[in-house]
Amino acid sequence: MKQEDAVARILDEQVVGYKMLLELLQRERLCLIDLDGGAVEALYKEKDVLILRLRLLEEERIRLMKDLGKGDLTLQKLGEMTGNNAFLDVRSKLRSLVQAIEELNNFNRLLIERSLSYFRNNAGFFSTFGFHEGMPRKGMLVSRET
C-alpha cells in the first residue's frame, strides 16, 4: 500500500470517528437536559475511548504526512501535490465536523456549568438551616465492618 493510500485510509477513519463523537455529544446534550447522570457517566466512558482512538489516528496521520512531505504537510498541499481532490474533500469534511463538535461542546459546557451552579446554590441554601453543625464538612470515611 502506498503511503498516500495509507493517509487516505486514516483520514476516512478519522471522519467516521468524528461523526461518532458528534453523535455522542448530541446524546450527551439530551442527557444533560434530562439530568440523567447515569447516562452521562456512561457516555463519558464511551467518549474517553473514542477520543483516545482519535488521538492515535491523528498521531499516525501526522507521522505519515511527515514522511510524505519531508516536513509539515497540510491536506491542501497533499491534494495539490498528488492531484487527488479526495484529500481536499476530506479536509472540508473534517473542518465541518470539528466546527460542529466545538459548538456542541461549548453548548454542553454551558449546560454543565448551569447545573453545577443550580446545585451549589441549593446546597448553599440548605446549609443555612444548620443541619450539619458540628459535623465534618468534607472527606469523611465511614467503615461498616460487622
Side-chain angles (χ1 to χ4, degrees), residues 3-127:
Q3 275 193 310
E4 184 183 319
D5 294 336
V7 171
R9 187 182 55 80
I10 295 286
L11 289 169
D12 287 341
E13 286 185 47
Q14 284 184 304
V15 168
V16 170
Y18 283 116
K19 284 181 181 175
M20 290 171 61
L21 182 59
L22 185 61
E23 180 189 311
L24 278 176
L25 289 170
Q26 289 167 339
R27 288 178 22 212
E28 180 185 60
R29 181 190 61 197
L30 294 175
C31 292
L32 289 170
I33 290 171
D34 292 340
L35 297 176
D36 187 352
V40 170
E41 187 176 332
L43 284 173
Y44 285 165
K45 291 176 184 171
E46 280 185 62
K47 229 168 60 172
D48 285 344
V49 171
L50 182 57
I51 287 171
L52 178 64
R53 183 171 178 266
L54 286 169
R55 187 172 293 148
L56 293 173
L57 286 171
E58 180 65 10
E59 288 172 6
E60 181 65 11
R61 184 193 67 80
I62 289 171
R63 187 188 66 76
L64 290 170
M65 297 279 281
K66 282 184 179 175
D67 288 348
L68 274 173
K70 309 288 186 231
D72 291 333
L73 181 63
T74 64
L75 289 178
Q76 186 171 1
K77 287 180 185 174
L78 180 61
E80 292 168 0
M81 188 174 88
T82 61
N84 187 349
N85 288 335
F87 290 114
L88 300 177
D89 292 339
V90 169
R91 177 181 178 266
S92 176
K93 285 179 189 173
L94 285 172
R95 288 185 71 158
S96 174
L97 281 167
V98 168
Q99 184 178 5
I101 287 168
E102 185 178 359
E103 289 173 7
L104 202 48
N105 245 345
N106 285 333
F107 185 80
N108 289 353
R109 180 182 51 78
L110 286 174
L111 287 174
I112 291 168
E113 287 174 356
R114 286 184 185 165
S115 292
L116 285 174
S117 174
Y118 173 78
F119 287 114
R120 284 184 186 132
N121 287 339
N122 280 343
F125 173 71
F126 286 117
S127 70

